[in-house]
Amino acid sequence: MKTNMEIAVIFDEIADILEFKGDNPFKIKAYRSAARTIGSLTQDLQHVAKRGELTKIPGIGAAISKKIEEIIRTGKLRLHEELKKSIPEGLLEMLKIPGLGVKTVSKIYEHFGISSVEDLERLAKERRLRKLPGLGPKVEERILKGIEQYKRQKGVILLWRALPLAERLLEELKQVSGVQKAAVAGDIRRMKDIVSGIDILVAADKPEDLFKAFSRLGSVENLNLDGEGGAASAVVAGVPVRLKIAPLESFSAALLTLTGSEAHVNSLKALASAAGMKLNERGLFKVEGGVERRVRGKTEEEIYERLGLCYVPPELREGRNEVKAAAEGKLPRLLELLEVRGDLHVHTSWSDGARSIEDMALSAVGLGYEYVAICDHSKSTAGGLSEEELRRQIAEVEEVNERFERRGLHFRVLAGVEVDIKEDGKLVLGDDVLSELDVVVAAVHSKFSLDAKAMTRRIAAAMENEHVSIIAHLTGRLLGKREPYAVDIDAIMEKARETGTILELNAYPNRLDLNDEHCRLAKEYGVKIAISTDAHDATQLQFMSFGVAIARRGWLEAKDVVNTLPLKELLKVI
DNA sequence: GCCGTTTTCGGCCCGACTGTTTTCAGTCG
């Protein structure tokens, strides 16, 4: 069984290899776009294939759909295997270094005959790369920095990659005979943006059967069994999976301790000990005269209750004062996905999105939303809009709204834009056209390498613009790919409070920007948050759940988040 | 390899940025 991501990687590698071979650039682009679409698909490709609807996915035609079917059927793709044999292994890895593309890697390979990141690093350190025509000291330096970054982010596992895999493994394990209960634990359960792997806890009669079943699951590698400890570990689809078996009576305590975090669990243990009890993965016990007696604790809720605490949702279990708050009954009533009433940042085919305004709006209707804000790029970024084009788009938004009204749909498409903030803090679109919009989202898309002072001044200047309601993806990070740019978060929070600017929590799962701690800080400052998906396709509206997870980790409640407001009140705020 | 209200061939986004050049190539979004 291959995940969407694994299938996407295969097509991406095919594109890379074809590019090395100088194949038709448009064919290469087709493979790349297919890979990107598959990678960000929210439904499992196997299901789509089963329904025979692969070619309905934009960018997937007859040839690629056949290849997807081959991968699903056989676990691999012949073409891919053959292509991989045709070039030195390390070249593909070299491509993953940011700032390095096929052209430069080819040039280096042809001249030096090297094909590994290690050799590349050595050459750069020996200052030999700069001897090649077209390369110089700056590029050499950039490559070294890129290698450093690549090494740092190499093993990073993103929540949105691990979560679907975890859910699928859980479903498969639940089918095994003798399994009484099973749950995902660990940092995935706490919904960390980056996770260490997948932890699954199972209560089972016959551990041997479970282990056997586990070893037979698709693409399990490096299986490691610890029969006595009731544990097994393996690598599935490149992700470490840790399986733990517990007796049914200990399930909740085991789930609690396995969910962590360590800091949170340690606080609970200390609390238990202070109350003459003992908490470990086997259960909660009363200790009297050296004798341990199990305290009733069938559920996690009961364990917390016995410790004199309100239930602490997994997202809060980070050792950030949540135990104290739970003791005082001061935990926030965390935001729920169902409280979200709209999405304030989505793209359409007017810029680099895949769908029309109406398509995106109808999908938002399907999610039960009351509104969606169309915020395409402004000129200078990703096929963005000029003033004139934006005015035409506003007109189309109005048409869609009129059509909806005639059909009796209580839904509003908001006219917006994601306007670029220039280096000097000015916006690339004039105030005239911005004043005609319902919502203006401003964002940095260039000159990422400014120092913190300049970047902060730049963003703060944009916040001063009276038309700007929201600042998008504040730090510009791309998880596993690009570090956040330097910016003084406190100064931005201060400026946001002063100007009443809303900060976006970008829910696109490789951004999640603001992060959880920024959210909590915003709340302290009294700065409001908009959770927006930045969807570039209709299915990506579902990324909202990742944004809500991060908001919950940041202690946010519905009242902290503007897109929980009904339309009328929202309009006042934006 | 994909796509089609110009539909089975022929076109497929393009500008910003950077570093290298001295008018351009490579990478990125």
Side-chain angles (χ1 to χ4, degrees):
Chain A
M1 278 254 246
K2 293 276 176 198
T3 60
N4 288 3
M5 195 50 205
E6 289 174 282
I7 296 174
V9 166
I10 290 176
F11 289 124
D12 226 8
E13 286 188 0
I14 290 177
D16 286 340
I17 300 168
L18 293 180
E19 207 172 340
F20 274 118
K21 293 174 166 296
D23 208 311
N24 176 359
F26 298 108
K27 190 202 276 190
I28 293 164
K29 216 183 88 176
Y31 275 114
R32 263 199 223 296
S33 94
R36 208 175 45 205
T37 308
I38 292 168
S40 64
L41 215 58
T42 47
Q43 46 182 336
D44 197 323
L45 263 189
Q46 332 243 358
H47 300 318
V48 186
K50 224 176 255 169
R51 292 198 306 268
E53 292 179 350
L54 285 175
T55 53
K56 283 194 183 166
I57 302 171
I60 311 279
I64 292 186
S65 74
K66 277 226 175 65
K67 293 186 173 79
I68 294 174
E69 281 162 4
E70 183 184 333
I71 296 169
I72 291 176
R73 211 173 47 243
T74 69
K76 55 187 177 186
L77 183 62
R78 238 174 357 185
L79 172 73
H80 179 233
E81 303 293 322
E82 277 162 22
L83 282 174
K84 271 205 298 196
K85 276 186 223 145
S86 70
I87 61 158
E89 212 175 313
L91 289 190
L92 290 181
E93 194 185 358
M94 286 164 75
L95 275 187
K96 292 184 186 143
I97 296 164
L100 266 189
V102 168
K103 294 282 163 60
T104 312
V105 170
S106 288
K107 197 190 286 178
I108 294 171
Y109 170 63
E110 275 159 27
H111 192 269
F112 294 105
I114 61 147
S115 59
S116 76
V117 175
E118 291 73 40
D119 286 344
L120 180 70
E121 184 171 15
R122 187 172 44 77
L123 283 179
K125 280 188 175 154
E126 288 169 1
R127 304 180 158 203
R128 287 166 65 193
L129 289 180
R130 64 178 68 182
K131 299 207 173 72
L132 286 186
L135 302 193
K138 289 275 177 70
V139 172
E140 212 170 55
E141 207 176 296
R142 195 179 64 201
I143 289 175
L144 278 175
K145 264 197 188 143
I147 291 175
E148 228 173 88
Q149 193 185 329
Y150 166 68
K151 283 182 176 168
R152 240 193 338 266
Q153 303 183 327
K154 198 172 165 186
V156 161
I157 304 163
L158 272 51
L159 174 67
W160 74 311
R161 300 308 188 195
L163 191 59
L165 185 60
E167 282 165 357
R168 212 178 66 203
L169 290 173
L170 185 67
E171 280 318 302
E172 290 181 34
L173 289 172
K174 277 183 175 172
Q175 308 300 321
V176 178
S177 76
V179 168
Q180 299 151 316
K181 231 173 175 181
V184 173
D187 40 20
I188 289 195
R189 182 155 179 249
R190 306 202 308 277
M191 299 296 272
K192 279 189 75 172
D193 46 15
I194 287 172
V195 298
S196 61
I198 295 173
D199 291 284
I200 296 181
L201 178 70
V202 181
D205 272 345
K206 305 173 218 153
E208 314 79 44
D209 286 3
L210 184 71
F211 285 147
K212 238 182 253 165
F214 183 52
S215 64
R216 275 201 305 266
L217 292 181
S219 50
V220 165
E221 296 166 29
N222 305 331
L223 184 70
N224 230 317
L225 290 183
D226 170 11
E228 270 177 41
S233 65
V235 174
V236 181
V239 179
V241 178
R242 298 170 289 261
L243 183 65
K244 178 92 184 148
I245 301 185
L248 190 57
E249 56 179 4
S250 301
F251 190 84
S252 298
L255 182 61
L256 186 66
T257 50
L258 198 59
T259 297
S261 64
E262 206 183 328
H264 176 79
V265 174
N266 284 342
S267 303
L268 298 184
K269 283 180 177 172
L271 210 56
S273 159
M277 292 187 278
K278 188 172 164 190
L279 174 69
N280 57 32
E281 72 280 359
R282 288 180 294 110
L284 180 64
F285 303 92
K286 188 110 195 156
V287 188
E288 273 166 341
V291 183
E292 291 179 7
R293 196 164 43 79
R294 182 178 293 278
V295 176
R296 220 177 79 89
K298 271 207 170 131
T299 62
E300 276 190 331
E301 281 85 348
E302 280 179 19
I303 295 175
Y304 280 104
E305 199 189 319
R306 294 285 164 160
L307 293 172
L309 302 173
C310 316
Y311 177 72
V312 181
E315 295 95 325
L316 294 185
R317 301 181 194 172
E318 293 295 338
R320 298 173 184 162
N321 250 342
E322 70 278 4
V323 173
K324 184 164 178 280
E328 293 167 356
K330 286 182 180 161
L331 283 180
R333 204 198 66 74
L334 294 183
L335 173 71
E336 303 277 349
L337 182 59
L338 278 170
E339 292 175 306
V340 172
R341 292 177 193 253
D343 199 323
L344 294 176
H345 179 178
V346 313
H347 293 266
T348 72
S349 47
W350 279 76
S351 67
D352 59 348
R355 302 302 176 119
S356 67
I357 295 174
E358 182 158 357
D359 280 352
M360 294 303 280
L362 284 172
S363 293
V365 171
L367 291 175
Y369 287 165
E370 295 174 22
Y371 45 84
V372 68
I374 304 299
C375 295
D376 274 307
H377 291 287
S378 59
K379 60 185 174 189
S380 80
T381 294
L385 280 53
S386 65
E387 277 92 349
E388 196 189 311
E389 288 165 322
L390 188 51
R391 287 204 167 89
R392 283 212 303 277
Q393 191 187 39
I394 295 172
E396 187 178 320
V397 165
E398 272 324 300
E399 285 167 27
V400 173
N401 275 326
E402 281 162 23
R403 275 203 296 279
F404 279 13
E405 213 163 298
R406 280 200 297 276
R407 289 162 60 180
L409 273 176
H410 293 290
F411 184 88
R412 169 85 173 269
V413 186
L414 300 171
V417 71
E418 179 184 14
V419 61
D420 278 3
I421 306 172
K422 291 193 279 193
E423 187 177 357
D424 60 4
K426 295 205 175 74
L427 306 177
V428 303
L429 296 175
D431 282 347
D432 274 5
V433 70
L434 297 183
S435 72
E436 295 167 32
L437 294 163
D438 296 310
V439 57
V440 174
V441 177
V444 166
H445 286 110
S446 61
K447 294 265 187 186
F448 295 153
S449 52
L450 293 182
D451 63 41
K453 220 171 167 185
M455 188 62 90
T456 306
R457 212 166 35 225
R458 173 187 190 180
I459 297 172
M463 295 166 102
E464 294 276 2
N465 184 305
E466 58 168 331
H467 302 296
V468 171
S469 305
I470 302 174
I471 299 293
H473 45 69
L474 181 61
T475 77
R477 74 171 182 176
L478 295 175
L479 291 171
K481 199 165 173 201
R482 187 171 72 207
E483 304 282 347
Y485 38 71
V487 58
D488 180 344
I489 300 287
D490 276 294
I492 293 292
M493 293 290 170
E494 191 62 56
K495 179 60 87 176
R497 176 168 61 186
E498 177 192 321
T499 56
T501 310
I502 297 157
L503 295 183
E504 175 187 274
L505 161 49
N506 191 296
Y508 207 94
N510 72 344
R511 286 190 182 269
L512 300 177
D513 176 12
L514 314 175
N515 67 26
D516 49 3
E517 299 196 44
H518 298 149
C519 287
R520 197 158 170 197
L521 191 63
K523 185 172 180 160
E524 276 172 32
Y525 272 92
V527 169
K528 296 294 179 206
I529 302 293
I531 308 179
S532 308
T533 61
D534 205 350
H536 284 64
D537 201 339
T539 57
Q540 295 175 355
L541 289 168
Q542 293 173 43
F543 288 160
M544 186 60 76
S545 61
F546 291 101
V548 169
I550 297 304
R552 289 168 64 88
R553 288 180 54 81
W555 293 54
L556 296 191
E557 306 177 70
K559 65 181 165 59
D560 304 314
V561 176
V562 295
N563 49 318
T564 60
L565 293 172
L567 177 65
K568 229 179 182 175
E569 289 171 50
L570 174 85
L571 286 173
K572 278 184 220 156
V573 184
I574 61 173

